[in-house]
Amino acid sequence: MKKMTAHLLLSLIPLAVNANQWFTESIYGNWCQTYKIDEVLYEEKTDFHHMIIFKNGLYGTVLALDGVIQTTEKDEFVYHEMITHVPMLQHGNAQKVLIIGGGDGGSLREVLKHKTVKKAVLIDIDTQVIELSKKYLPNHSQGAFNDPRAEIIIADGCKFVKETQEKFDVIICDTTDPIGAGKVLFTEEFYADCAKLLTKNGVFVNQNEVPYMCDTINRTCNKLKPFFSTVKGFLAPVPTYIGGYMAFGFATNNDIVTLQELEQRISNIDGELKYYTPEMHKASFALPNKLKQSLYNER
């Protein structure tokens, strides 16, 4: 789940929003998006976030943290399928997967569709996000939290990767943006710790905001390069995240998988795919010229 904290003070966020009002998200200062609130399902200021869950006629159930939309029923499948199946099928035989963040359960749901997976560990710092997502966004997880292969740990993800002795085939960082406490999840030290946890053919992926609005993906790729021989960015369109295509960082020590290999490996997936195809996988790495130049110093 993409959890943008934005430049907002929690003390300025109202703790009550009435039905038939509008929820306005202002991330970049000069631009905002507004959702009509048909019904407030839940609202509270937890130990970590101001949280509101509401119904919208177009997007269905919507979750916002600290004044910023995190996920919606309507388009979550694009984000979750791409952040999971791209690294999972790049690996091809992932048996142990680590998800850092992802408390709504969408990434866990997609990881567990892979028949090769024996264990999926999800680390999230806020138990309320998990419990309330189970209640109000059950289609995100679709029972994944109760899968015997899933291990849920409430902890600081940065601390976990530094201290654990476990190894993983794939690490998926479905985390906060690099603002406030989330900054540590976008540092060279964190990437180095993750690289040490990966098996020989391991793959690392993380969300990197909207590149049209910020240069997070550029900084991520530069910080990943000391630890991986192959570092890329890929894109997916998620309307909820205003400003254009969503960017993901991608790192491995293997060559990029071919289309033919992806077409063979997709048989490892059980369950419906609404967005991901091997062709979309390959196409997502085809970047606009300006972004390609900035990421790969190509001219």
Side-chain angles (χ1 to χ4, degrees):
M1 172 174 50
K2 186 174 183 291
K3 309 175 194 170
M4 292 191 287
T5 56
H7 301 289
L8 296 170
L9 298 175
L10 290 183
S11 60
L12 298 180
I13 300 172
L15 292 180
V17 182
N18 295 321
N20 300 318
Q21 289 189 344
W22 293 79
F23 181 97
T24 299
E25 171 195 78
S26 179
I27 300 169
Y28 305 112
N30 296 313
W31 188 15
C32 66
Q33 65 172 336
T34 302
Y35 291 71
K36 189 175 187 298
I37 298 174
D38 294 324
E39 179 186 1
V40 176
L41 300 176
Y42 182 88
E43 186 173 15
E44 181 185 25
K45 187 173 180 180
T46 72
D47 291 340
F48 298 97
H49 306 286
H50 170 267
M51 181 185 302
I52 181 170
I53 303 172
F54 62 90
K55 284 283 190 182
N56 172 270
L58 177 62
Y59 281 94
T61 303
V62 179
L63 166 64
L65 298 177
D66 303 337
V68 181
I69 302 297
Q70 304 302 303
T71 187
T72 74
E73 281 187 309
K74 187 175 182 66
D75 63 8
E76 60 81 19
F77 64 92
V78 180
Y79 176 90
H80 290 125
E81 289 186 18
M82 291 302 283
I83 202 173
T84 58
H85 300 313
V86 170
M88 293 291 290
L89 292 180
Q90 164 68 32
H91 187 282
N93 188 33
Q95 299 182 37
K96 288 185 64 178
V97 179
L98 174 63
I99 303 169
I100 301 172
D104 58 42
S107 293
L108 182 64
R109 174 197 76 211
E110 294 302 317
V111 164
L112 293 173
K113 287 181 180 179
H114 288 257
K115 293 180 284 188
T116 61
V117 173
K118 296 180 179 178
K119 181 178 181 181
V121 178
L122 185 146
I123 309 291
D124 199 291
I125 199 169
D126 194 344
T127 187
Q128 282 288 81
V129 171
I130 294 175
E131 293 307 316
L132 292 169
S133 293
K134 288 180 184 178
K135 181 175 182 179
Y136 294 107
L137 291 162
N139 287 330
H140 274 52
S141 57
Q142 296 180 16
F145 288 111
N146 297 322
D147 191 295
R149 296 171 293 168
E151 179 180 351
I152 313 304
I153 300 175
I154 305 303
D156 182 319
C158 190
K159 188 172 185 289
F160 177 87
V161 299
K162 186 171 291 295
E163 296 178 354
T164 187
Q165 300 300 310
E166 285 194 81
K167 296 288 186 180
F168 297 92
D169 298 310
V170 172
I171 296 177
I172 298 168
C173 288
D174 184 2
T175 63
T176 62
D177 285 336
I179 300 171
K183 286 183 178 180
V184 297
L185 302 172
F186 292 80
T187 62
E188 282 196 24
E189 181 179 359
F190 176 73
Y191 296 147
D193 290 337
C194 287
K196 291 176 183 176
L197 299 185
L198 286 170
T199 55
K200 181 180 178 182
N201 298 318
V203 187
F204 172 92
V205 165
N206 66 339
Q207 73 85 5
N208 276 264
E209 304 186 89
V210 178
Y212 183 79
M213 304 303 297
C214 60
D215 64 351
T216 303
I217 185 64
N218 303 63
R219 288 181 273 115
T220 288
C221 286
N222 284 330
K223 291 175 182 177
L224 285 168
K225 286 176 182 177
F227 313 110
F228 298 93
S229 61
T230 299
V231 175
K232 299 282 186 179
F234 67 95
L235 303 175
V238 187
T240 290
Y241 307 137
I242 60 171
Y245 278 71
M246 182 77 190
F248 300 89
F250 173 98
T252 183
N253 287 313
N254 281 344
D255 294 332
I256 297 295
V257 68
T258 67
L259 178 60
Q260 291 71 27
E261 289 171 315
L262 290 173
E263 289 170 343
Q264 294 172 355
R265 294 176 182 183
I266 199 169
S267 63
N268 286 333
I269 298 177
D270 275 334
E272 180 186 15
L273 296 178
K274 296 181 180 179
Y275 183 85
Y276 179 92
T277 66
E279 292 82 5
M280 290 303 299
H281 180 135
K282 297 299 291 185
S284 70
F285 285 91
L287 305 181
N289 199 43
K290 183 177 180 180
L291 182 56
K292 183 170 67 172
Q293 289 176 358
S294 63
L295 287 183
Y296 309 136
N297 297 315
E298 294 183 7
R299 293 293 183 269

